[in-house]
Amino acid sequence: MFQAGTAVFTLASLLGGLAPNESLLISARILQGVGAALAAPSALALITTTFPAGKPRNTAMGVYAAMGGLGATVGLLLGGVLTDVLDWRWVFFINIPIGLAVLFGTKTLVEAERHPGHLDIPGVITGTGGLIALVYAITRGGEHGWTDSLTLTSFAAAAALLIGFLFLQARTADAMMPLRLFKDHSRWGSYATMLFIGAGMFATFYFLTLYMQLLGYSPVKTGCAYLPFSAGMGLAAAVSSKTAAHVAPRLIAGPGLLVAAAGMFWFAALEPDSSYAAHLMPAMFVTALGLGMSFVPLTLGAVSGVTHQDAGIASALLNTAQQIGGALGLAVLSTISTSAANNKLPEAASTLYQGLATKDFPLVAKAGEALTHGYSLAILGAGAMFLAGLAVTALAINACKQQHAESPAVAHMG
């Protein structure tokens, strides 16, 4: 599955780079999503089934979390360089040699146990359809109003599909999302917390990138500006992977989320001309430290104590929680940002482009102030997401320290 996902993602990258029009470009992006959805949970499951609980798995999870933070930042930096120096299509083409190298490296992987079963097609349709309807309803509500007929219809469809999904999961032998995984408080707490982290983190990247473009940063400069995030994430992930052997996960993840929220509230004091060195860089580093502290214990909480048979779905649910959180968080916080900016200056984004086109610099400054106000409120909302994750961590995650190297099939977190 990991090989198949990597191959699909690599092929989709080639198609995206060659796309002659918008429709084919979007189609290639969808195919990339399919490949990533196949590969990402499999990668985490391979760690779970390869490394026994305790120090070996803690170290592997620390490397996994650090590479996630490093990869995101390097991707932003490399994307900026390729766009400036070559062409935007190389943002896709660069994935091809990386994908081929990963496929070559998979020859060293060992096959895990196989469990015969059937694909839960009704679960796929109702679960995916419900989430799509929910994200669309939130996005449309922000653009057309919350009493818009299609917005209300989409919310109703999302509710019906997601309720139907849970009903099917409770009665299907080979369920896509076995409800038995949620019997462990620490596991479902990890999933819920990761959803809130995804909601806050993805939106933060989005709004900070828009803000830096407002300041006139080039793509390369924007990528370089995210390097402190990578440093903070890698440092904290390395420390938390070692600490997990001696301290209960919530005593690491909880303070980490508090630190991350503090970084977000620091960010929220943005001004149209905020200094990078005095404001953006330290706030970014603090936020990354907090998130890096949280990722390893939450990942351990999600996959520890599961059988080999459930390792893949337990990993997939963690990735899914983060991605769903990102989609929902971006939809909600974008709505907040746009509404706040437009309340300060109607059609603030369009006004900015109009001012730039006509070289009306007072109008540009006014639009920039309105947009910055919207970004600040959205980032404040992202900080609130981290605090919500902190509350879930404190109430639900009751796992013990990850000290003893037990068999993954019998390891238990509390």
Side-chain angles (χ1 to χ4, degrees):
M1 291 302 294
F2 181 71
Q3 289 172 334
T6 303
V8 169
F9 185 87
T10 304
L11 176 61
S13 298
L14 174 62
L15 296 176
L18 297 174
N21 54 53
E22 181 181 353
S23 297
L24 290 178
L25 178 62
I26 292 174
S27 298
R29 288 289 289 156
I30 293 171
L31 192 59
Q32 276 189 316
V34 172
L38 288 170
S42 302
L44 194 52
L46 284 167
I47 293 175
T48 306
T49 57
T50 301
F51 297 93
K55 184 178 179 180
R57 191 184 296 177
N58 296 349
T59 302
M61 291 297 185
V63 173
Y64 179 85
M67 289 303 101
L70 180 63
T73 308
V74 170
L76 288 166
L77 176 59
L78 189 58
V81 171
L82 292 172
T83 301
D84 267 6
V85 177
L86 296 173
D87 183 76
W88 66 264
R89 294 180 182 275
W90 281 92
V91 175
F92 287 92
F93 290 146
I94 191 63
N95 292 327
I96 298 171
I98 295 173
L100 292 175
V102 170
L103 283 173
F104 180 79
T106 58
K107 294 193 300 183
T108 63
L109 297 176
V110 178
E111 285 286 355
E113 297 176 12
R114 297 187 183 185
H115 171 65
H118 301 284
L119 185 61
D120 180 15
I121 298 297
V124 171
I125 294 172
T126 54
T128 306
L131 291 172
I132 290 173
L134 181 59
V135 172
Y136 179 75
I138 294 172
T139 304
R140 184 175 178 85
E143 295 177 355
H144 300 277
W146 300 104
T147 57
D148 173 73
S149 58
L150 187 53
T151 299
L152 295 175
T153 301
S154 298
F155 273 121
L161 286 168
L162 292 175
I163 291 171
F165 172 72
L166 292 175
F167 179 84
L168 289 170
Q169 298 311 286
R171 288 160 176 77
T172 303
D174 292 305
M176 184 175 77
M177 188 182 74
L179 298 184
R180 62 179 176 271
L181 290 175
F182 295 92
K183 292 180 180 179
D184 186 293
H185 282 217
S186 292
R187 189 172 300 117
W188 71 254
S190 296
Y191 294 149
T193 304
M194 191 61 77
L195 186 142
F196 284 117
I197 289 177
M201 186 176 69
F202 286 21
T204 300
F205 275 121
Y206 176 72
F207 291 114
L208 281 179
T209 300
L210 291 178
Y211 175 74
M212 285 188 272
Q213 288 180 348
L214 198 62
L215 294 179
Y217 284 28
S218 68
V220 173
K221 189 175 180 180
T222 301
C224 290
Y226 278 111
L227 288 176
F229 187 90
S230 177
M233 179 75 79
L235 176 64
V239 172
S240 65
S241 67
K242 296 182 181 299
T243 311
H246 308 286
V247 180
R250 70 174 170 187
L251 298 180
I252 307 171
L257 288 167
L258 190 61
V259 170
M264 298 304 293
F265 296 139
W266 191 347
F267 267 134
L270 285 176
E271 297 291 340
D273 57 351
S274 291
S275 164
Y276 175 77
H279 189 170
L280 295 182
M281 183 175 69
M284 190 179 299
F285 185 73
V286 168
T287 302
L289 281 177
L291 292 176
M293 288 172 63
S294 307
F295 276 132
V296 174
L298 290 174
T299 304
L300 288 168
V303 300
S304 295
V306 299
T307 63
H308 283 184
Q309 174 185 329
D310 286 336
I313 186 61
S315 305
L317 283 171
L318 186 70
N319 283 280
T320 301
Q322 187 181 46
Q323 297 297 324
I324 292 171
L328 293 176
L330 190 55
V332 171
L333 297 176
S334 292
T335 300
I336 293 173
S337 175
T338 303
S339 299
N342 290 343
N343 286 339
K344 203 170 183 67
L345 178 68
E347 301 296 330
S350 300
T351 303
L352 174 69
Y353 296 127
Q354 179 186 341
L356 290 171
T358 59
K359 296 185 179 180
D360 185 345
F361 297 113
L363 184 62
V364 169
K366 192 174 181 180
E369 183 179 343
L371 289 170
T372 301
H373 173 65
Y375 300 156
S376 296
L377 282 182
I379 291 173
L380 197 63
M385 298 285 186
F386 293 156
L387 290 180
L390 170 61
V392 174
T393 298
L395 295 172
I397 298 180
N398 56 5
C400 302
K401 57 187 179 181
Q402 299 292 287
Q403 189 170 21
H404 302 293
E406 302 172 273
S407 166
V410 299
H412 188 62
M413 287 196 63

